[in-house]
């Protein structure tokens, strides 16, 4: 696996109608990617049709079993920051559809969308993804990356908290293992995760061909060939269409859009 720097955006403004967010945000000052909570939300037998429905399930029905009303509200806010929880926005709608098709992909789907919305998590990507399998994560390198990514806007104690939270997030996604000392392990992405990565890449300004070597596929420990193989597997699962001619890749996410029910 190469150690090139993962690039996630090309020419995208701060906010995009697809659901990506380049500059604002910073959920990792207080939370992780919360895979357990997100999984519960995605497992709702009758998925809500709008953001208000998800808020009601989390806050009023206490879907996640939080002890206080204040904690429920905060959890709803933080999950919304990372994942939108709004079926009218393509990023969440597609993630929800892919999670239903491949539940095992939820940790990587969560990581991908969180990378698209929290710059603090993105700032940590180079440190984690550049590690060789079995190599120990340097907490100092992680904190420096966060400090640089935040452009010195965070106090040292907040930087330390963010470092703990992002390390936990990369552990939840499967990229790190261990408690006190975390070491790198390679993930095994599912076709659904690669579909999400490729779609995010195209929304972030990459061409279809470039999407297969962008930071989004690097976050799945995929090189070009592995990403293309998984995209082809996803085509067999009718999650997208992919065509290759003279080393030029064309991606069509129409199947995913149809599975997701369009703009519900």
């Amino acid at each position: 696996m190469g150690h090139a720097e993962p690039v996630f955006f090309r020419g995208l403004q701060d906010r995009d109608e697809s659901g990506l967010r380049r500059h604002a945000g910073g959920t990792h000052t207080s939370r992780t990617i919360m895979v357990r909570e997100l999984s519960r939300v995605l497992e709702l037998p009758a998925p809500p049709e709008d953001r208000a429905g998800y808020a009601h399930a989390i806050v009023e029905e206490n879907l996640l079993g939080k002890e206080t009303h204040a904690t429920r509200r905060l959890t709803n806010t933080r999950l919304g920051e990372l994942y939108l929880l709004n079926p009218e926005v393509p990023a969440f709608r597609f993630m929800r559809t892919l999670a239903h098709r491949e539940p095992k992909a939820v940790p990587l789907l969560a990581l991908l969308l969180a990378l698209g919305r929290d710059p603090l998590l993105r700032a940590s990507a180079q440190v984690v993804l550049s590690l060789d399998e079995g190599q120990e994560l340097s907490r100092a390198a992680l904190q420096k990356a966060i400090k640089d990514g935040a452009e010195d806007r965070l106090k040292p104690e907040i930087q330390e908290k963010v470092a703990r939270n992002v390390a936990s997030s990369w552990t939840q996604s499967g990229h790190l293992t261990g408690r006190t000392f975390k070491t790198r392990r390679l993930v095994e992405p599912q076709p659904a995760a690669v579909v999400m990565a490729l779609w995010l890449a195209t929304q972030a300004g990459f061409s279809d061909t470039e999407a297969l070597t962008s930071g989004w596929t690097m976050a799945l420990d995929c090189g070009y060939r592995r990403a293309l193989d998984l995209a082809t597997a996803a085509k067999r699962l009718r999650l997208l269409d992919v065509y290759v001619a003279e080393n030029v890749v064309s991606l069509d996410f129409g199947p995913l859009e149809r599975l997701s029910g369009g703009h519900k």
Side-chain angles (χ1 to χ4, degrees):
M1 183 178 65
H3 290 169
E5 180 178 356
V7 178
F8 293 99
F9 287 98
R10 283 190 177 172
L12 189 68
Q13 299 300 316
D14 184 40
R15 292 176 183 270
D16 184 79
E17 63 182 8
S18 63
L20 279 73
R21 184 169 60 180
R22 183 169 188 174
H23 297 295
T27 304
H28 278 78
T29 56
S30 62
R31 295 294 179 94
T32 69
I33 58 172
M34 299 179 284
V35 168
R36 183 183 64 83
E37 289 89 342
L38 177 64
S39 296
R40 291 284 302 277
V41 169
L42 294 175
E43 289 167 358
L44 280 168
E49 296 183 356
D50 54 25
R51 179 68 179 94
Y54 280 100
H56 181 81
I58 295 168
V59 178
E60 305 305 330
E61 298 179 1
N62 197 17
L63 170 68
L64 303 177
K66 301 300 181 180
E67 292 185 358
T68 68
H69 202 268
T71 303
R72 298 175 208 171
R73 290 197 306 270
L74 181 60
T75 301
N76 172 64
T77 298
R78 296 296 181 250
L79 284 169
E81 288 173 357
L82 287 179
Y83 307 116
L84 298 127
L85 303 187
N86 184 351
E88 295 181 358
V89 183
F92 175 71
R93 187 170 70 247
F94 291 164
M95 183 185 72
R96 183 174 71 175
T97 297
L98 292 167
H100 288 170
R101 291 296 295 268
E102 283 197 87
K104 290 183 180 180
V106 169
L108 290 177
L109 293 171
L111 176 78
L112 288 168
L113 188 46
L115 283 168
R117 294 187 56 78
D118 189 342
L120 295 178
L121 181 63
R122 268 196 315 275
S124 70
Q126 169 66 8
V127 174
V128 174
L129 298 177
S130 67
L131 295 174
D132 293 323
E133 186 174 14
Q135 186 177 357
E136 185 177 324
L137 173 69
S138 166
R139 184 59 62 99
L142 186 61
Q143 289 185 12
K144 183 180 185 304
I146 291 165
K147 178 182 178 180
D148 293 344
E151 299 178 346
D152 292 328
R153 291 192 302 268
L154 301 178
K155 296 179 180 179
E157 60 269 24
I158 301 299
Q159 292 173 21
E160 293 178 8
K161 185 174 183 179
V162 172
R164 291 193 298 269
N165 285 340
V166 297
S168 175
S169 288
W170 288 102
T171 302
Q172 292 175 51
S173 69
H175 292 76
L176 298 175
T177 185
R179 293 177 64 88
T180 304
F181 301 101
K182 294 187 179 293
T183 57
R184 181 75 157 92
R185 67 179 182 183
L186 301 182
V187 297
E188 292 291 335
Q190 304 79 9
V194 170
V195 172
M196 188 72 185
L198 295 176
W199 180 80
L200 287 167
T202 61
Q203 300 305 302
F206 293 89
S207 71
D208 291 358
T209 302
E210 292 170 338
L212 281 93
T213 54
S214 67
W216 305 98
T217 51
M218 289 176 63
L220 300 180
D221 292 332
C222 284
Y224 175 88
R225 177 50 55 184
R226 177 67 170 148
L228 184 57
D229 288 346
L230 286 165
T232 303
K235 180 178 180 178
R236 292 194 293 270
L237 295 172
R238 300 180 181 179
L239 297 176
L240 88 165
D241 286 325
V242 55
Y243 310 95
V244 183
E246 298 181 355
N247 296 321
V248 176
V249 177
S250 297
L251 302 170
D252 180 356
F253 298 96
L256 178 58
E257 180 68 53
R258 290 188 289 273
L259 282 173
S260 302
H263 295 281
K264 281 189 175 181

